[in-house]
């Protein structure tokens, strides 16, 4: 049995990208042999300023969405990151292992900081060290990620290798990332070259997993496309990112293959395709949105689930952080 670790930030409302790229797969992975550890990474969230009341609400919201997507807290360990101190303890050690040059190469930092590098928090810069700690605190070896996160996993492996080398032992195992190809990246509805993101200033750029049927239909109707009719083969979509994205979403939520969908809609404009896509999306998203609302109605129960998850998580990660601290030379706690 291996251990799987994955996390999601409680920033904003979960999007269709978070669902297809992460949450849906989290639920599926529970059915296998591996132990699943799923974390609401509130410590990552505060690398950019979060209003405290909003962060609390969004953490409950993400917990509710995660449960609504089928994560079973009896089968998986579900908790919020700040509740398990091993993450912060190991992250500090990793801050002292990772090299400045490694972090400077991280494209996500460059994207997020943009021209503002002197003004962003130091937390944003060392974010990948905390992510490495999240995974290594569980000796997790399997990490499902979107393809945008692959560079961070390489860094986590570099950190583990340097730690093991510096202290002359093999304490942290190698991580194998896996990217699920079909929905590796769901793109913005306004720009097919940009990732769909919960922090995009335009709500029209994304489907939120709490959007109602009217909102979903309206967003799909307005989604950017191009003037060409749909082709009868996938290769012809190579230079048409918006069309390719909508087709990928349609296939992911309907279970039909992209080829079968093209066979159905080839030669037609986007009108009928978008209507059918909106219907398929509503059928998929609406029940999840309803279940999310139900879970959110009982915050005491959400607290109970997260705190029970945190106790299970701490039982694994605490001793690993203790041992890492012993290895670097700290006295026992
Ligand atoms: N558009 C996407 N397509 C596929 N997968 C995606 N993920 C996020 N967006 C897409 C996957 O969701 C998981 C959790 O992501 P996160 O919340 O930790 O951070 P993120 O990747 O930065 O997601 P957002 O929505 O863009 O958040 P903000 O706007 O807060 O930065 C990850 O597995 C991620 O790959």
């Amino acid at each position: 049995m291996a251990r799987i670790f994955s996390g999601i930030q409680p920033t904003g409302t979960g999007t269709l990208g978070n669902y297809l790229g992460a949450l849906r797969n989290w639920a599926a992975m529970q059915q296998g042999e591996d132990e699943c550890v799923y974390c609401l990474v509130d410590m990552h969230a505060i690398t950019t300023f979060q209003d405290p009341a909003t962060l609390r609400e969004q953490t409950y919201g993400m917990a509710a969405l995660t449960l609504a997507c089928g994560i079973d807290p009896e089968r998986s360990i579900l908790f919020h990151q700040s509740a398990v101190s091993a993450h912060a303890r190991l992250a500090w050690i990793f801050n002292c292992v990772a090299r400045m040059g490694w972090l400077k190469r991280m494209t996500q930092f460059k994207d997020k900081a943009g021209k503002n590098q002197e003004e962003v928090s130091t937390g944003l810069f060392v974010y990948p060290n905390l992510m490495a700690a999240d995974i290594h605190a569980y000796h997790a070896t399997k990490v499902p990620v979107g393809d945008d996160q692959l560079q961070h996993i390489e860094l986590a492996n570099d950190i583990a290798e340097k730690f093991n080398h510096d202290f002359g032992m093999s304490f942290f195992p190698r991580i194998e990332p896996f990217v699920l190809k079909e929905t590796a990246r769901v793109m913005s509805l306004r720009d097919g070259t940009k990732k769909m993101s919960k922090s995009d200033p335009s709500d029209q750029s994304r489907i939120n997993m709490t959007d109602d049927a009217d909102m979903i239909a309206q967003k799909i109707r307005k989604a950017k496309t191009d003037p060409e009719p749909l082709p009868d083969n996938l290769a012809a979509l190579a230079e048409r990112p918006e069309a390719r994205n909508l087709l990928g979403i349609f296939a992911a939520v309907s279970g039909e293959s992209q080829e079968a969908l093209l066979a159905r809609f080839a030669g037609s404009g986007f009108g009928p395709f978008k209507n059918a896509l909106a219907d398929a999306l509503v059928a998929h998203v609406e029940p999840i949105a309803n279940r999310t609302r139900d879970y959110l109605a009982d915050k005491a129960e959400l607290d109970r689930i997260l705190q029970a998850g945190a106790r299970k998580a701490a039982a694994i990660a605490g001793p690993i952080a203790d041992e890492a601290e012993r290895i670097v030379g700290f006295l026992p706690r």
Side-chain angles (χ1 to χ4, degrees), residues 137-191:
Y138 298 86
H139 279 182
T141 51
K142 290 190 184 172
V143 179
V145 284
D147 58 1
D148 54 316
Q149 292 291 333
L150 283 173
Q151 199 187 24
H152 287 165
I153 302 296
E154 278 167 33
L155 183 97
N157 276 329
D158 290 344
I159 290 174
E161 217 171 274
K162 181 162 163 53
F163 180 98
N164 290 343
H165 178 266
D166 287 352
F167 297 101
M169 58 183 63
S170 67
F171 183 60
F172 291 116
R174 204 175 159 72
I175 305 164
E176 295 300 337
F178 57 98
V179 178
L180 293 138
K181 285 282 175 280
E182 318 84 76
T183 48
R185 215 181 266 210
V186 178
M187 309 311 276
S188 158
L189 300 179
R190 311 300 296 163
D191 176 353

Side-chain angles (χ1 to χ4, degrees), residues 6-13 15-23 26 41 44 48 50 62 108 112 127 144-149 183-188 194-200:
S6 200
I8 188 162
Q9 295 190 67
T11 44
T13 313
T15 68
L16 185 69
N18 298 131
Y19 172 67
L20 293 177
L23 296 175
W26 289 12
V41 288
H44 285 282
T48 53
Q50 305 293 325
M62 198 55 83
Q108 192 182 73
K112 288 206 168 177
Y127 178 119
V145 284
D147 58 1
D148 54 316
Q149 292 291 333
T183 48
R185 215 181 266 210
V186 178
M187 309 311 276
S188 158
K194 248 175 71 183
K195 187 177 92 150
M196 181 181 285
S197 185
K198 41 185 152 55
S199 60
D200 192 303

Side-chain angles (χ1 to χ4, degrees), residues 299-318:
K299 293 207 172 117
E301 175 63 4
L302 291 176
D303 278 332
R304 192 197 63 73
I305 290 171
L306 292 178
Q307 287 164 17
R311 281 192 290 279
K312 288 190 227 166
I316 302 169

Side-chain angles (χ1 to χ4, degrees), residues 86-146:
H87 293 251
R89 290 161 57 201
L90 204 52
W92 181 254
I93 293 176
F94 288 172
N95 284 342
C96 303
V97 173
R99 306 290 92 183
M100 290 291 286
W102 300 356
L103 291 170
K104 281 185 183 163
R105 283 196 288 277
M106 295 295 110
T107 51
Q108 192 182 73
F109 175 75
K110 291 187 218 165
D111 290 348
K112 288 206 168 177
K115 293 195 178 72
N116 206 18
Q117 293 202 1
E118 298 300 312
E119 300 304 321
V120 296
S121 75
T122 49
L124 191 68
F125 186 63
V126 294
Y127 178 119
N129 296 343
L130 177 58
M131 181 168 157
D134 297 337
I135 302 165
H136 288 308
Y138 298 86
H139 279 182
T141 51
K142 290 190 184 172
V143 179
V145 284

